[in-house]
């Protein structure tokens, strides 16, 4: 019988037949592909949200529109994925609530408040300090001391973050924006742990990624709507056109992009990646969102990265590769 070892919050085979090893490699390959697709889709969110905020939308209003569109887009696919197993949804209610309140609503709300005060690239870099929280939690809570390659990868990634922040530049950094981005980092760590869970609290099968994403979007939308109704957070919307690629387009374009691409597709593929890779490796792979976000902001908003920021991007990629080799 094959032995097993803990990987993040999952159990995976450590030794076994050649076919098991090939299946494991294939699963990680699929996880990497899904992770990169998710990162690319998530990377569009900052650009679309920044365009809406510049046109008069509040950060909470942009998040509410995003999650409502995503919930509508995923309703039919979620029903098909559940195939009448509504009991599974009830047993996973706790995971759905945490995922929706923290991984969806809080993470997006904090991130959008950050990009309202600083460039998209800097905000997303600070948010991804959540990977340090993930590695630290696995060490403290589960005794999974990081191995040398993970440590080196983390140092390289953090060095890349520091270079891409370019704190020596003349533009300065908003302290309020930094606080919002760091709050998003905490929420992001919770998102990856919830996404990587392969079983419900009672040990039954986990919700399909589409169903978990749909439930999280519905929960997040309800929470934001209640906060707005209680006037605990401003909900502002605008029907004015927005500017993308130096052109004026309808507000519908960034809202659909946020809801379908940067939420529905991004979250579903992100869950699929995290369940194959685990929370730690999945979060490192998701760092590619930093590069995609900076690239989209450069292309669509003309927020041009500096030479030091390009070097930082290379260090981030080196860190991801190191952690991938460690997990392999």
């Amino acid at each position: 019988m094959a032995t097993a070892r803990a990987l993040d919050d999952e159990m995976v085979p450590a030794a076994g037949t050649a076919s098991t090893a090939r299946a494991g490699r294939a699963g990680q390959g699929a996880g990497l592909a899904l992770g990169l697709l998710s990162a690319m889709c998530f990377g569009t969110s900052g650009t679309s949200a920044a365009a809406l905020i510049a046109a008069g939308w509040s950060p909470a209003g942009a998040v509410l529109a995003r999650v409502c569109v995503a919930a509508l887009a995923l309703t039919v696919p979620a029903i098909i994925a559940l195939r009448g197993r509504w009991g599974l949804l009830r047993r996973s209610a706790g995971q759905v609530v945490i995922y929706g309140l923290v991984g969806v609503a809080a993470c997006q709300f904090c991130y959008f408040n950050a990009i309202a005060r600083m460039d998209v690239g800097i905000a997303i870099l600070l948010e991804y300090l959540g990977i340090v929280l993930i590695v630290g939690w696995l060490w403290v809570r589960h005794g999974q001391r990081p191995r040398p390659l993970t440590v080196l990868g983390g140092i390289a990634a953090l060095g890349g973050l520091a270079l891409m922040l370019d704190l020596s530049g003349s533009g300065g950094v908003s302290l309020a924006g930094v606080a919002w981005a760091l709050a998003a980092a905490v929420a992001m760590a919770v998102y990856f742990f919830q996404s990587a869970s392969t079983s419900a609290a009672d040990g039954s099968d986990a919700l399909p990624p589409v169903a978990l994403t749909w439930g999280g979007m519905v929960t997040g939308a309800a929470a934001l709507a209640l906060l707005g109704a209680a006037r605990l957070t401003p909900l502002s919307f605008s029907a004015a056109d927005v500017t993308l690629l130096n052109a004026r387009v309808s507000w519908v374009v960034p809202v659909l992009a946020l809801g379908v691409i940067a939420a529905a597709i991004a979250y579903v593929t992100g869950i699929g990646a995290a369940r194959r890779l685990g929370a730690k490796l999945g979060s490192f792979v998701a760092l590619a969102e930093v590069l995609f976000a900076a690239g989209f902001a450069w292309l669509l908003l003309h927020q041009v990265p500096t030479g030091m920021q390009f070097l930082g991007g290379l260090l981030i990629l080196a860190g991801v590769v190191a952690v991938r080799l460690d997990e392999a």
Side-chain angles (χ1 to χ4, degrees):
M1 178 181 294
T3 59
R5 66 179 177 88
L7 173 59
D8 298 345
D9 46 343
E10 304 176 56
M11 297 297 292
V12 299
T17 63
S19 60
T20 301
R22 285 194 297 270
R25 287 194 296 269
Q28 281 218 330
L32 288 171
L34 287 171
L36 290 175
L37 175 59
S38 177
M40 183 179 70
C41 292
F42 272 127
T44 66
S45 66
T47 300
S48 298
L52 288 173
I53 292 170
W57 291 60
S58 67
V63 175
L64 181 59
R66 179 184 186 181
V67 296
C68 285
V69 170
L72 289 173
L74 292 171
T75 298
V76 173
I79 292 174
I80 294 173
L82 284 170
R83 296 192 300 274
R85 297 175 295 169
W86 299 107
L88 178 58
L89 184 61
R90 288 192 299 271
R91 290 192 297 272
S92 303
Q95 181 187 16
V96 170
V97 170
I98 295 174
Y99 184 83
L101 292 181
V102 182
V104 174
C107 192
Q108 294 183 41
F109 179 68
C110 294
Y111 173 54
F112 283 12
N113 270 285
I115 64 174
R117 294 165 173 83
M118 60 173 60
D119 284 356
V120 169
I122 296 177
I124 193 68
L125 287 164
L126 285 172
E127 181 187 20
Y128 267 91
L129 287 174
I131 64 172
V132 178
L133 300 178
I134 291 171
V135 173
W137 175 260
L138 290 171
W139 186 359
V140 173
R141 180 66 177 83
H142 300 288
Q144 296 180 26
R145 183 175 181 176
R147 294 184 291 268
L149 273 177
T150 291
V151 174
L152 290 175
I155 292 173
L158 290 176
L161 288 170
L163 289 177
M164 290 196 74
L165 278 171
D166 197 11
L167 296 178
S168 62
S170 58
V173 176
S174 163
L175 292 180
V178 169
W180 280 113
L182 292 177
V186 176
M188 189 205 73
V190 175
Y191 157 76
F192 276 108
F193 280 120
Q194 292 298 315
S195 297
S197 178
T198 56
S199 64
D202 62 357
S204 60
D205 291 339
L207 278 174
V210 172
L212 177 56
T213 303
W214 172 73
M217 294 299 165
V218 172
T219 303
L224 288 168
L226 288 174
L227 288 175
R231 298 190 177 182
L232 295 176
T233 186
L235 287 177
S236 302
F237 310 93
S238 174
D241 289 345
V242 302
T243 300
L244 285 175
L245 275 176
N246 288 328
R248 300 293 290 177
V249 299
S250 169
W251 60 271
V252 176
V253 174
V255 167
L256 287 178
L258 277 174
V260 177
I261 298 174
I265 297 175
Y267 275 92
V268 171
T269 53
I271 294 172
R275 289 182 177 178
R276 288 168 173 82
L277 301 175
K280 183 176 71 177
L281 179 55
S283 65
F284 271 88
V285 172
L287 267 172
E289 180 188 347
V290 173
L291 308 181
F292 285 119
F296 286 129
W298 182 10
L299 177 65
L300 300 177
L301 300 178
H302 302 291
Q303 296 177 357
V304 182
T306 65
M308 293 298 285
Q309 288 173 326
F310 275 115
L311 178 58
L314 293 176
L315 282 174
I316 289 172
L317 288 177
V320 173
V321 170
V323 176
R324 170 68 180 90
L325 292 174
D326 193 19
E327 294 298 335

